[in-house]
Amino acid sequence: MVQSIIQDYTNATSIACIFVDIQGKERSSKYNFTKFCHFMRSIPGFRNKCYQCDLCGGLETFRNRACCPYRCHAGLVDFSIPVVYENQLHGFIVSGQMVSDDMRIPNLQEPTPWQTDRQAFQYFRAVPQYRYEEIMSASRVLNTLTTCYFPYSQPSETLGYETPTIGGDPGDAGELTHITRPEIRKTVTFIKEHLSYNLSLRTIAEEVFLRQSYLSKLFKQEMNMNLMQYINQCRVREAEKILASSKESVDAIGRRLGYRRTSYFCKIFKQYTGETPHAYRKKCSL
């Protein structure tokens, strides 16, 4: 079944994929692997680092219940989907082998000095490059395929994404019912489902088919705040949840919620809550 999932996924996306066990060891063929990754895994020292990255990435996703793309020791972007069958974790479907310069994607392990190898450098230059939004879309596709056959044991344990939504809370559902204009209801839904994206008035206006000036005016009338204030408010609310329920670093949370600079994320968080992310986490732990 895992092989069938991987074949469908790689045929549809052409993105590299493999299944590894709970030790990070390969348990399937290498589907659509890049020449660079074939080369890296042919060298024992690098191969062991690849196994570590596959394992750590999978465990991080399983522990946080969130699909978080990460950079491997060689600098490529991967993501992992846990395979759970009969309440037991059997391994991870790992996909990626992409190049991305997006700062929201964290390093999982210390980089290895492969750049000194001319052959490796030549192969690396041929690795496909993807935008952050494309990487997130691919992770959602793979997760959907996987959970169709291997659903988690409890509905509340469904795997989330690095593009978090806030719509699951009763208060948020109530918020939507109090919005009178359908255009603003659609705007709010779009914002909450794309918090990690580079949200701007232009991109949101295009999504809801309104002129920027008109959307800005309508939104302020309906929500009593401007669009950016609302985006920051949603991101801070989501950050509070993550800080209270995980050990994810403040830097990673900031990137996960669309802030390229940690200092700016901390500034916005304190502006809305009156305390720093570190202070908020410490208060929650107490």
Side-chain angles (χ1 to χ4, degrees):
M1 190 58 68
V2 169
Q3 180 173 304
S4 177
I5 292 169
I6 294 177
Q7 285 178 336
D8 286 341
Y9 170 78
T10 53
N11 286 339
T13 65
S14 300
I15 300 174
C17 203
I18 193 171
F19 177 67
V20 302
D21 62 21
I22 55 175
Q23 277 84 44
K25 300 296 178 64
E26 300 167 359
R27 288 293 180 262
S28 76
S29 301
K30 301 180 181 72
Y31 291 83
N32 287 357
F33 261 43
T34 63
K35 288 185 177 180
F36 176 77
C37 288
H38 273 299
F39 176 80
M40 293 294 283
R41 289 177 185 245
S42 69
I43 301 171
F46 291 153
R47 182 170 62 243
N48 290 335
K49 293 286 287 185
C50 292
Y51 290 163
Q52 290 177 25
C53 287
D54 289 345
L55 175 60
C56 291
L59 290 175
E60 192 75 10
T61 298
F62 185 71
R63 184 173 69 247
N64 292 326
R65 300 292 177 188
C67 185
C68 305
Y70 56 86
R71 297 184 196 279
C72 72
H73 69 99
L76 298 185
V77 176
D78 292 326
F79 51 85
S80 299
I81 307 296
V83 173
V84 178
Y85 182 65
E86 294 183 344
N87 293 328
Q88 184 174 347
L89 176 64
H90 288 267
F92 311 96
I93 299 177
V94 183
S95 179
Q97 300 182 13
M98 316 167 183
V99 171
S100 174
D101 58 2
D102 197 290
M103 298 300 292
R104 285 170 285 186
I105 304 174
N107 292 310
L108 193 66
Q109 301 243 340
E110 286 295 317
T112 49
W114 58 265
Q115 293 91 339
T116 55
D117 190 296
R118 179 179 294 182
Q119 186 84 53
F121 189 76
Q122 183 178 351
Y123 287 147
F124 184 84
R125 294 178 64 181
V127 172
Q129 186 160 358
Y130 285 77
R131 293 182 296 108
Y132 181 80
E133 292 76 13
E134 294 171 328
I135 295 170
M136 292 309 306
S137 293
S139 71
R140 284 191 285 270
V141 169
L142 183 55
N143 181 56
T144 300
L145 282 172
T146 305
T147 52
C148 280
Y149 296 100
F150 300 103
Y152 282 9
S153 57
Q154 299 294 330
S156 62
E157 294 179 340
T158 303
L159 189 65
Y161 297 95
E162 191 176 358
T163 48
T165 59
I166 317 178
D169 289 350
D172 294 311
E175 178 186 52
L176 288 176
T177 61
H178 286 89
I179 298 175
T180 58
R181 293 182 173 90
E183 309 99 314
I184 303 305
R185 193 178 297 118
K186 185 177 180 181
T187 300
V188 166
T189 301
F190 178 79
I191 289 170
K192 290 181 177 180
E193 292 178 351
H194 298 82
L195 288 180
S196 70
Y197 284 55
N198 183 21
L199 294 172
S200 67
L201 176 60
R202 181 181 63 80
T203 56
I204 297 172
E206 289 174 355
E207 181 68 25
V208 297
F209 306 106
L210 292 176
R211 288 183 292 109
Q212 295 180 39
S213 57
Y214 186 56
L215 172 60
S216 180
K217 179 182 177 181
L218 279 185
F219 193 90
K220 191 160 188 177
Q221 288 176 351
E222 185 79 44
M223 306 299 291
N224 293 318
M225 66 180 81
N226 66 41
L227 203 62
M228 188 50 64
Q229 287 172 332
Y230 183 76
I231 291 170
N232 282 327
Q233 176 181 286
C234 289
R235 285 171 169 167
V236 168
R237 287 172 64 188
E238 187 66 17
E240 287 177 324
K241 297 178 188 177
I242 302 170
L243 287 163
S245 61
S246 78
K247 294 182 179 180
E248 191 171 350
S249 70
V250 171
D251 183 54
I253 294 171
R255 287 196 303 268
R256 176 173 170 178
L257 293 174
Y259 295 103
R260 290 181 176 271
R261 291 185 292 114
T262 305
S263 58
Y264 184 66
F265 165 57
C266 293
K267 177 182 176 182
I268 294 297
F269 189 92
K270 188 171 183 179
Q271 180 180 325
Y272 280 78
T273 66
E275 53 193 345
T276 66
H278 292 287
Y280 181 84
R281 171 171 276 166
K282 186 176 181 180
K283 180 180 73 175
C284 291
S285 65
L286 292 174

